[in-house]
Amino acid sequence: MVSTAAPEISAAAAAEPAPVKKAESKSLSFYYGDFQALKNISMPIYDKKVTALIGPSGCGKSTYLRCFNRMHDLYPGNRYDGQIMLYPDNTNLLNPAVDPIEVRMRISMVFQKPNPFPKSIYENVAYGLRVRGERKRAILDEKVEEALRGAALWDEVKDRLHELAFNLSGGQQQRLCIARALATDPEILLFDEPTSALDPIATASIEQLLADLKEKLTILIVTHNMQQAARVSDYTAYMYLGELIEFGVTDTIFIKPRNKQTEDYITGRFG
Amino acid sequence: MIPLSHADWTDAMPKDFVSDKLARRRLRHVKERIIEFILFLAASVSVATTLGIVLILLKESFVFFRIVSLWDFLTDTQWTPLFADAHYGIMPLLSGTLVSSAVALLVAIPLGTIIAIYLSEFAPFSVREVAKPFLELLGGIPTIVYGYFALMFVTPLLQKIIPGLPGFNLLSAGLVMGIMIIPYVSSVSEDAMRAVPMALREGSYAMGATRFQTATRVVTPAAFSGIAAAYILGISRAVGETMILAVAAGMQPNLTWNPLEPAATITAYIVQVALGDLPHGSIGYQTIFAAGLTLALLTLFFNVLGHLLRKRYRQVY
């Protein structure tokens, strides 16, 4: 089910070196109490690539995403089975001996609805550094600016860094949340339908941002929007009812899916 | 009845015709108005009562202030309206009220906030289910019981730690009053914290924050308007509390900022005079209205302050 072939559609892609694995889920199952939400999912996440998770509502794509930063640990009754290996550490993120806080320091997340904290723009971005104990003003200033530039928000907010973040528009708030996630230099950035609450223009700016971000880090994105998956991702995984139906290079999945079910979903005959 | 066709309606009927089925039902209309009026009356009770109290306070205080100048009332350092050498300075009573309230709030605000944070962010479901009713019980104990608890139990205890502490003192009354106020602060604060959307907490956890960091740096500021409301409620309770102070803090007006001394509060003084045998209309009797007005203004001040704080920090999710 897992395609390991290098991209072969475009010449540019073919010229790229073979992708390196940044993480990999191995026989990952997940249970909300008695309900099995993920069934035996094995799939690689390639370094400095965008991997999109698509599938109808309730297929487990968000559940899968949230395993990577152990968000499920926050609620009682949740259980993981299987492994998520992080490279180059070669460590299973789901190992109980692994501290979820350490995991979240390296794997950041951007949520469906912008969720800025009730703080100033500056303090929102500085939050991750502050919880790590960073106090030096010069370092904070530098990192905040870098992160805001990285999220293409600096020019819009540089004169009002100390205003409340709630005063920003929805699209700006979401970019602020991306800046917040970037400020701590994460290795993997998880996006859970980051544009579903945004208008088309704000969506376009976030998508542009994703293309820029993958130069530096690995991106895993859940999206409901098939066009978005096609536009932004290098690899796509189609999930259905907690199972991984097909994983492969995005162009292949969208042009010539091997699985009939994937094809039906992508062409809109289903879902 | 034969249903009307479209043609009937356009051609045969007068323009302002309303079919029987759609006509306004007079009886229903009247019933609706009566219900509305009854609801309005119920709502007016509280407004009318408040207005009535304020009016009486103002009217009776006016009688008082015709004899005693406002300047004397505010600046005189003695409150001896019942003595031959009468002085009418509110400061001794005000200081008693403020000192005992300060002691109470120093107990209730930190403890109430910590309890709220624990119950909302840390406590497992089972602990919360047990702890909340107990806390609410604390608020249901009659204040006279607290008063005797302060006088008979807390004061002797404090006297062992602080030698020479008088039997009546503001500290003991204030501490016990603080315990009484804890549930008011904690339960309103906790409700405010629990109303903070989970998405905000997840955002914080996703940044690698610990539970404590999330509670103090994200949830508390997000719930601040509600927490401020809880504090204001606590302050109002403290300023207006009567029995604990009347029983445990003494009845002697005493201009002091030292909680180790006995002192009367505005409320304790009002009880003392209202239950005494002063004749109606005497200047001594009128003093309680002036004192009551001062108390009302004090509470109003804190309520307005609370309102402004809430407006300033209100978050919309």
Side-chain angles (χ1 to χ4, degrees):
Chain A
M1 222 182 267
V2 171
S3 157
T4 45
E8 48 194 308
I9 306 299
S10 74
E16 276 182 26
V20 178
K21 279 183 203 165
K22 178 66 200 170
E24 181 172 26
S25 66
K26 290 182 173 172
S27 315
L28 176 66
S29 292
F30 179 79
Y31 303 83
Y32 290 111
D34 294 330
F35 173 70
Q36 185 172 9
L38 296 178
K39 292 169 188 160
N40 214 19
I41 294 186
S42 298
M43 154 180 150
I45 310 297
Y46 290 117
D47 193 29
K48 300 200 170 54
K49 300 285 180 202
V50 176
T51 304
L53 299 166
I54 62 170
S57 296
C59 70
K61 52 195 192 305
S62 286
T63 303
Y64 180 73
L65 186 83
R66 291 161 67 94
C67 290
F68 279 79
N69 63 347
R70 300 262 301 261
M71 278 315 253
H72 298 300
D73 289 26
L74 297 178
Y75 306 95
N78 294 342
R79 190 161 61 83
Y80 310 91
D81 209 2
Q83 298 180 316
I84 294 179
M85 299 302 294
L86 182 69
Y87 304 114
D89 300 56
N90 207 21
T91 300
N92 174 17
L93 294 179
L94 302 179
N95 187 330
V98 168
D99 184 353
I101 289 177
E102 294 298 324
V103 171
R104 294 177 196 139
M105 295 220 171
R106 290 174 59 185
I107 302 180
S108 248
M109 182 165 181
V110 175
F111 294 81
Q112 184 168 0
K113 235 183 100 197
N115 57 352
F117 302 137
K119 297 172 183 292
S120 68
I121 294 168
Y122 182 96
E123 285 303 329
N124 260 280
V125 182
Y127 187 78
L129 299 163
R130 286 209 191 273
V131 300
R132 285 159 178 72
E134 183 58 66
R135 284 161 189 276
K136 292 200 196 74
R137 196 75 202 180
I139 294 180
L140 288 172
D141 283 350
E142 187 196 320
K143 286 282 187 185
V144 167
E145 177 173 346
E146 195 187 311
L148 283 168
R149 282 190 193 282
L153 191 59
W154 175 253
D155 291 333
E156 291 159 63
V157 301
K158 63 175 181 231
D159 299 322
R160 47 186 189 133
L161 288 174
H162 297 285
E163 269 181 43
L164 260 184
F166 293 112
N167 296 337
L168 297 173
S169 72
Q172 287 174 324
Q173 287 189 14
Q174 194 61 305
R175 276 181 284 151
L176 181 70
C177 292
I178 295 174
R180 183 171 79 189
L182 287 176
T184 54
D185 298 318
E187 295 158 40
I188 302 179
L189 204 45
L190 309 171
F191 287 89
D192 190 357
E193 296 185 44
T195 61
S196 65
L198 303 181
D199 66 58
I201 293 171
T203 300
S205 76
I206 302 271
E207 287 182 8
Q208 178 57 48
L209 195 52
L210 290 175
D212 299 340
L213 288 176
K214 73 168 180 179
E215 305 283 321
K216 279 172 283 179
L217 43 80
T218 305
I219 292 172
L220 192 55
I221 178 172
V222 166
T223 177
H224 249 116
N225 179 332
M226 237 101 55
Q227 283 75 32
Q228 182 169 67
R231 281 192 300 262
V232 304
S233 70
D234 303 297
Y235 295 89
T236 297
Y238 171 66
M239 292 175 67
Y240 183 65
L241 294 179
E243 284 181 80
L244 178 65
I245 305 297
E246 188 166 352
F247 172 83
V249 175
T250 297
D251 290 345
T252 315
I253 292 259
F254 276 88
I255 293 165
K256 252 184 91 187
R258 273 171 297 154
N259 191 296
K260 176 81 171 67
Q261 231 181 320
T262 314
E263 190 182 341
D264 285 351
Y265 182 70
I266 283 165
T267 52
R269 248 170 287 170
F270 157 73
Chain B
M1 186 178 169
I2 305 155
L4 294 168
S5 74
H6 180 64
D8 287 339
W9 188 82
T10 48
D11 302 336
M13 298 296 161
K15 251 201 170 128
D16 54 355
F17 170 79
V18 177
S19 91
D20 287 350
K21 278 190 175 171
L22 291 174
R24 216 175 209 208
R25 300 294 145 121
R26 188 155 297 274
L27 187 64
R28 184 167 65 202
H29 184 64
V30 169
K31 237 160 88 184
E32 200 94 320
R33 292 300 293 267
I34 291 172
I35 290 170
E36 190 186 323
F37 183 68
I38 292 171
L39 294 179
F40 170 79
L41 277 185
S44 326
V45 169
S46 62
V47 179
T49 313
T50 312
L51 282 180
I53 290 174
V54 170
L55 275 179
I56 288 174
L57 278 180
L58 286 174
K59 184 172 149 276
E60 299 289 333
S61 301
F62 184 71
V63 177
F64 173 81
F65 283 116
R66 268 200 314 211
I67 300 162
V68 178
S69 77
L70 183 63
W71 178 251
D72 282 346
F73 182 70
L74 293 177
T75 57
D76 199 321
T77 56
Q78 286 183 62
W79 178 263
T80 53
L82 311 179
F83 292 6
D85 174 28
H87 285 274
Y88 302 98
I90 193 70
M91 281 311 283
L93 295 183
L94 201 58
S95 76
T97 295
L98 292 179
V99 170
S100 60
S101 300
V103 172
L105 295 172
L106 281 175
V107 174
I109 287 185
L111 267 176
T113 312
I114 290 169
I115 291 173
I117 290 177
Y118 172 70
L119 287 181
S120 146
E121 304 300 312
F122 289 86
F125 181 77
S126 52
V127 173
R128 188 161 57 226
E129 287 309 288
V130 175
K132 279 206 84 166
F134 269 98
L135 264 175
E136 271 145 32
L137 209 63
L138 210 56
I141 297 174
T143 55
I144 185 78
V145 175
Y146 278 113
Y148 276 97
F149 177 66
L151 185 67
M152 306 301 212
F153 180 73
V154 178
T155 299
L157 208 69
L158 286 172
Q159 277 169 332
K160 281 182 195 150
I161 307 166
I162 310 164
L165 185 73
F168 294 115
N169 63 79
L170 291 168
L171 180 66
S172 163
L175 288 177
V176 173
M177 181 158 74
I179 293 170
M180 181 203 82
I181 296 170
I182 286 173
Y184 294 89
V185 175
S186 70
S187 105
V188 177
S189 301
E190 192 213 333
D191 288 345
M193 288 180 193
R194 285 166 67 81
V196 171
M198 210 52 215
L200 221 51
R201 288 189 187 87
E202 288 193 346
S204 171
Y205 286 122
M207 293 305 302
T210 61
R211 252 209 244 212
F212 184 70
Q213 287 166 332
T214 302
T216 53
R217 300 186 193 196
V218 172
V219 178
T220 307
F224 187 78
S225 75
I227 296 173
Y231 291 175
I232 297 298
L233 181 69
I235 293 173
S236 300
R237 290 286 317 183
V239 169
E241 174 48 39
T242 308
M243 281 330 282
I244 298 176
L245 293 147
V247 170
M251 294 275 200
Q252 288 304 318
N254 177 8
L255 179 50
T256 178
W257 304 106
N258 180 359
L260 301 181
E261 287 182 30
T265 61
I266 298 176
T267 49
Y269 172 76
I270 294 173
V271 178
Q272 189 187 6
V273 172
L275 297 181
D277 44 12
L278 281 175
H280 270 246
S282 71
I283 176 72
Y285 193 77
Q286 292 310 122
T287 54
I288 65 172
F289 292 101
L293 184 66
T294 312
L295 195 62
L297 286 176
L298 202 61
T299 327
L300 179 71
F301 168 77
F302 285 119
N303 277 313
V304 170
L305 190 74
H307 182 73
L308 293 178
L309 274 176
R310 276 161 70 183
K311 246 173 78 176
R312 166 76 180 74
Y313 291 99
R314 183 171 299 282
Q315 310 291 355
V316 183
Y317 303 110

